[in-house]
């Protein structure tokens, strides 16, 4: 059966026009950073440590003797070690790997642009990302002025609830009133309900005909971002959208090694409760934070998704030379 499939399904998913668009997009990205004196770097795709995030799953390999190595889900931690070593502004374009289903908007291997700007906060970096996307898509997309909206305001506008102050019952009622089915398993889970509302009600409405940024996330979604006290306290994190499609995820980067270890430990506890494998924390990254990483902001941008918008494609398979089902 496999031989028959190979004989009939060997051709690439992307056509020649799209392959040329990808090459030109990469050229424009590199030109953007070259003009700003941002250094291109390359870090290993394999690591002893896997991601602790219970929502992201690393691919294990049998490479080398002893303990397994994991294909990186992002070059983030290795790049931050370079920042701690004093290399300054950096970027990287690389394939990353995640154990997830292949679908219209997901592929277990995809292309990521990750970059860091020293001395910037998340507001500075949002404007920088807007400049990058404008330069990278010039002549292909007509986006106009970028739009910036706080996370709470986006929820109020599109989900009719307050993710910072409303209880789970209120959030569930707002979601149900807008015709979204809520699985029984999350009807009393406030965090899961917020994720559901974001995916079904908020995100699809963002970036309609323009580039939109949502910023200042709930603290429970801080990941590797700084937190900021206030009412409500927030994580200094943003996401970018065009036509309802999430393109980028950025942070005003956390510098505190004690808080970062606490978050890793909390991730591992959530993994334990969910029955997920325990993984090794990246101790070299934590040592780099202890040595001192400069104040900076960083972002990961999905190049394949941006190429989908440029090419007018409906699925990732149309812009990848060979999607998951063809390898």
């Amino acid at each position: 059966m496999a031989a028959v499939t190979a004989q009939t399904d060997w051709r690439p998913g992307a056509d020649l026009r799209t392959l040329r668009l990808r090459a030109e997009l990469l050229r424009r990205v590199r030109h953007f950073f070259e003009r700003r004196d941002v250094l291109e770097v390359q870090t290993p795709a394999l690591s002893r440590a896997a991601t602790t995030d219970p929502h992201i799953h690393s691919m294990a390999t049998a490479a080398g003797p002893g303990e397994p190595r994991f294909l990186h889900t992002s070059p983030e931690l290795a790049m931050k070690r370079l920042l701690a070593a004093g290399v300054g502004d950096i970027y990287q374009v690389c394939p990353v790997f995640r154990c997830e289903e292949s679908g219209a908007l997901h592929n277990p291997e995809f292309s990521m642009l990750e970059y860091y700007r020293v001395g910037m906060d998340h507001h500075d970096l949002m404007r920088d990302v807007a400049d990058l996307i404008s330069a990278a898509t010039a002549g292909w997309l007509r986006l106009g002025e970028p739009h910036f909206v706080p996370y709470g305001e986006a929820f109020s506008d599109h989900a009719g609830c307050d993710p910072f102050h409303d209880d789970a019952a209120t959030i569930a009622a707002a979601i149900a009133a807008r015709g979204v089915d809520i699985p029984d398993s999350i009807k009393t889970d406030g965090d899961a309900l917020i994720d559901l509302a974001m995916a079904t009600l908020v995100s699809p409405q963002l970036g309609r005909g323009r580039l939109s940024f949502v910023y200042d996330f709930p603290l429970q979604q801080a990941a590797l971002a700084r937190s900021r006290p206030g009412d409500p306290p927030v994580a200094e994190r943003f996401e970018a959208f065009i036509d309802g499609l999430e393109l980028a995820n950025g942070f005003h980067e956390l510098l505190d090694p004690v808080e970062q270890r606490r978050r890793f430990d909390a991730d591992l506890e959530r993994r334990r409760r969910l029955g997920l494998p325990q993984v090794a924390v990246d101790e070299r990254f934590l040592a780099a934070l202890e040595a001192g990483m400069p104040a900076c902001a960083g972002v990961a941008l999905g190049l394949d998704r941006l190429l989908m918008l440029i090419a007018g494609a409906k699925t990732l398979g149309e812009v990848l030379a060979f999607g998951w089902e063809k390898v």
Side-chain angles (χ1 to χ4, degrees):
M1 185 66 177
V4 173
T5 301
Q7 288 296 322
T8 59
D9 196 29
W10 60 268
R11 293 184 180 278
D15 59 20
L16 180 57
R17 167 184 171 270
T18 304
L19 294 175
R20 286 175 170 160
L21 284 174
R22 179 182 289 272
E24 174 62 14
L25 174 61
L26 290 171
R27 188 196 67 79
R28 293 183 182 191
V29 165
R30 288 189 164 97
H31 181 64
F32 176 88
F33 289 120
E34 182 181 7
R35 290 181 61 190
R36 286 156 179 80
D37 197 28
V38 180
L39 179 68
E40 182 171 12
V41 298
Q42 184 176 6
T43 58
L46 289 171
S47 172
R48 287 183 175 86
T51 181
T52 60
D53 189 330
H55 300 105
I56 301 175
H57 308 298
S58 300
M59 290 185 182
T61 78
E67 72 272 25
R69 298 294 192 271
F70 296 90
L71 288 165
H72 64 179
T73 60
S74 161
E76 178 173 6
L77 302 190
M79 292 180 74
K80 287 180 176 178
R81 289 166 60 185
L82 291 177
L83 289 168
V87 300
D89 293 346
I90 53 175
Y91 80 98
Q92 181 168 184
V93 175
C94 62
V96 297
F97 308 86
R98 299 182 181 184
C99 289
E100 58 184 25
E101 293 183 6
S102 178
L105 299 178
H106 296 89
N107 196 69
E109 178 183 352
F110 59 98
S111 296
M112 180 178 286
L113 163 65
E114 182 111 9
Y115 79 93
Y116 294 86
R117 299 299 300 273
V118 174
M120 286 189 176
D121 65 12
H122 59 309
H123 292 288
D124 298 325
L125 190 60
M126 282 189 283
R127 289 186 285 272
D128 200 60
V129 171
D131 290 343
L132 166 65
I133 290 177
S134 176
T137 64
W140 292 331
L141 298 180
R142 297 174 61 89
L143 297 175
E145 289 297 313
H147 174 240
F148 303 89
V149 59
Y151 190 97
E153 184 178 324
F155 259 76
S156 177
D157 290 345
H158 302 298
C161 59
D162 182 341
F164 295 102
H165 298 107
D166 287 344
D167 60 20
T170 303
I171 295 171
I175 294 171
R178 284 156 178 78
V180 176
D181 291 331
I182 303 174
D184 290 339
S185 61
I186 69 167
K187 285 185 175 178
T188 60
D189 185 335
D191 291 347
L193 288 166
I194 288 171
D195 289 343
L196 177 64
M198 185 67 175
T200 59
L201 298 174
V202 182
S203 296
Q205 302 306 316
L206 297 173
R208 291 298 174 186
R210 61 184 176 180
L211 176 62
S212 288
F213 292 89
V214 177
Y215 64 91
D216 286 354
F217 276 55
L219 280 183
Q220 64 269 27
Q221 298 182 36
L224 280 75
R226 296 189 191 201
S227 59
R228 188 176 74 245
D231 183 21
V234 296
E236 295 188 330
R237 172 183 175 182
F238 68 84
E239 290 181 348
F241 297 82
I242 296 177
D243 289 339
L245 185 63
E246 181 194 339
L247 293 176
N249 180 31
F251 305 144
H252 189 196
E253 300 294 344
L254 179 65
L255 305 180
D256 183 348
V258 175
E259 171 60 15
Q260 186 60 74
R261 185 179 290 278
R262 187 199 68 77
R263 292 186 192 179
F264 282 160
D265 289 344
D267 280 349
L268 294 175
E269 175 57 23
R270 284 193 290 271
R271 293 180 71 88
R272 186 194 64 77
R273 292 199 307 267
L274 293 169
L276 298 172
Q278 292 294 294
V279 297
V281 168
D282 193 330
E283 294 291 346
R284 289 182 175 88
F285 164 62
L286 290 171
L289 284 185
E290 289 171 1
M293 190 173 80
C296 62
V299 64
L301 187 150
L303 287 173
D304 303 320
R305 288 189 175 186
L306 183 58
L307 183 58
M308 280 179 60
L309 294 168
I310 292 168
K314 302 298 183 184
T315 68
L316 282 180
E318 297 172 69
V319 300
L320 299 173
F322 301 102
W324 194 248
E325 74 285 352
K326 290 179 176 286
V327 297

